[in-house]
Each structure stands twice: as C-alpha cells, then as structure tokens.
Amino acid sequence: EDKVVQSPLSLVVHEGDTVTLNCSYEVTNFRSLLWYKQEKKAPTFLFMLTSSGIEKKSGRLSSILDKKELFSILNITATQTGDSAVYLCAVGYYNQGGKLIFGQGTELSVKP
Amino acid sequence: ETGVTQTPRHLVMGMTNKKSLKCEQHLGHNAMYWYKQSAKKPLELMFVYSLEERVENNSVPSRFSPECPNSSHLFLHLHTLQPEDSALYLCASSQDLSRNGETQYFGPGTRLLVL
C-alpha cells in the first residue's frame, strides 16, 4: 500500500529558530513530491520536486528531494510567528494525473 | 485568495437531510477535485474531474454524489450521511491532469457536521 509519512507530527519552536520537516514515501510510479502550507483552511502550494538533489528555494523556505532514499525535507530558517501552520507533503503519480496521496502533516507552532 | 471559492463555509445537517456543497474556480483550469480532511488524518482524494468528466472515484460511498456541469463549477451532493462523515471538505483545481495536475489550488473548505 502506498504511503507518505511525515515527521515530526508537531513541533514548537521560537522565533528565529531553524526547523527541518521530514517526509518519507513508499509509492509506486512516483512522479513528484509536493509541499503545501495549511493555515486555517486552504492548503497553499509551496514547492514541487521531481529531481533528486536540486534544492528549491523561496525566501526562507527551501526543500530538497532524495529519490534514492525516498524522502524530502523542508527547511525554514529564521522562523516567524506567521510560519505557524500545518505543513503537508504529497506525492503525485505517473499516468494518474492529478492524483495525490498526502501525509498526515506536521503542525508547526512558532512562539514569539 | 487562491481563486477557488466554496460555499457554504460551515454546514450542520441531520442524517436524513439532503444538502449540496458548491465549488467554483476562477483560474481557467480544466481539472477539479474533492478531498475529505478528517481530524488528525491525511487529506483523502474523493473525486477527480477533467473537462467535466469524472476520471477518479476513490471508493467513495454512494451517499456522496459529485456533479461537474462545466469546468468552473463542481458540486458535492450529500444525502443520508453518517456522523463519521463530519469533516472538512476541500475543493481544488489544477490546470489539467498532465504534469500540471499536481500543482493544485485549494478552496477554503466546507466544515461539515453531521448530527
């Protein structure tokens, strides 16, 4: 059975800290790994990764994929209270366009 | 604002009621999705539509009935639901089902409570 596992499930840090969120997967016909940020309700897209070892970066957030070891990490540097959210990892498939399987999410809380 | 709207935002219904959830996307996308998010569980894909045709039905009970009259609108008709169906129902859209299918834009969701 295909699965996506995120760790930790929850995390509390203080402003300015750096955090690393983990996502591992066991999926047949892997095509891509995606990170979303969910505040309140609607998940918003952060990154899509398809190639190993190529870092994607957006401001203080960065992510990288290891297709050999079947995992990805999401790094957030100099965290701010606005980074508090649930971070979701999802995997997409070849030949099943649009189908995503999600992990259970990591709930990040950034304290002032 | 992601360009995907959902109504209502909150819904309380009894097990014998019939109600509908509505989703509208203003992004010119061709694919739309329904997801269920229960507490402490991963998002579960329910249905996928591409150009108004259903292409995925993820073993969803028949008490959930989707409808896609055009590429901008998606409905989820609900009838004789169970309390365990209480969850956040999220709608999403993507440009299409090719390589762009994974980049999905989500609506704010409908929080459903079944009594």
Side-chain angles (χ1 to χ4, degrees):
Chain A
E1 185 183 335
D2 293 346
K3 61 181 179 181
V4 177
V5 178
Q6 293 185 243
S7 64
L9 292 182
S10 65
L11 190 55
V12 180
V13 301
H14 289 93
E15 274 192 315
D17 289 349
T18 293
V19 298
T20 298
L21 310 183
N22 303 290
C23 176
S24 63
Y25 60 91
E26 292 177 27
V27 168
T28 54
N29 289 323
F30 171 91
R31 175 159 79 183
S32 58
L33 186 143
L34 299 96
W35 286 96
Y36 284 84
K37 178 182 181 182
Q38 187 174 21
E39 298 172 273
K40 308 282 186 187
K41 295 279 180 72
T44 53
F45 172 79
L46 294 175
F47 299 111
M48 183 169 81
L49 304 152
T50 56
S51 301
S52 273
I54 299 174
E55 184 183 55
K56 292 223 172 174
K57 199 171 170 65
S58 175
R60 295 176 295 101
L61 277 66
S62 63
S63 183
I64 198 161
L65 173 67
D66 185 329
K67 290 168 75 173
K68 183 179 176 186
E69 299 298 329
L70 308 182
F71 78 92
S72 173
I73 59 171
L74 175 68
N75 277 321
I76 309 175
T77 58
T79 52
Q80 302 171 358
T81 55
D83 295 326
S84 297
V86 176
Y87 290 84
L88 302 172
C89 174
V91 168
Y93 295 79
Y94 271 112
N95 300 322
Q96 294 186 65
K99 179 175 178 177
L100 295 178
I101 179 171
F102 280 82
Q104 68 272 58
T106 293
E107 185 173 10
L108 174 65
S109 178
V110 182
K111 303 293 186 187
Chain B
E1 277 298 324
T2 61
V4 181
T5 59
Q6 290 187 243
T7 55
R9 298 290 301 273
H10 297 88
L11 180 62
V12 180
M13 59 187 289
M15 289 190 283
T16 57
N17 292 157
K18 287 185 182 182
K19 297 286 184 184
S20 295
L21 310 185
K22 179 183 175 183
C23 175
E24 183 174 0
Q25 56 95 2
H26 311 274
L27 301 168
H29 288 168
N30 291 320
M32 296 186 78
Y33 310 79
W34 279 117
Y35 286 89
K36 176 183 179 183
Q37 189 175 34
S38 304
K40 305 299 181 187
K41 283 187 173 183
L43 265 78
E44 300 171 56
L45 179 65
M46 299 174 74
F47 300 104
V48 180
Y49 275 82
S50 175
L51 297 171
E52 300 121 59
E53 286 200 25
R54 191 190 311 178
V55 297
E56 181 87 26
N57 177 348
N58 232 20
S59 303
V60 179
S62 60
R63 57 186 184 269
F64 295 91
S65 174
E67 179 191 1
C68 188
N70 55 64
S71 58
S72 299
H73 293 86
L74 186 64
F75 295 88
L76 188 62
H77 304 299
L78 316 171
H79 63 99
T80 58
L81 293 192
Q82 305 298 312
E84 61 264 28
D85 297 321
S86 300
L88 180 68
Y89 288 85
L90 290 162
C91 173
S93 71
S94 67
Q95 189 170 331
D96 49 46
L97 291 188
S98 67
R99 289 183 62 84
N100 300 308
E102 291 101 313
T103 308
Q104 297 177 14
Y105 295 82
F106 285 82
T110 295
R111 175 71 64 186
L112 173 67
L113 177 62
V114 181
L115 300 176

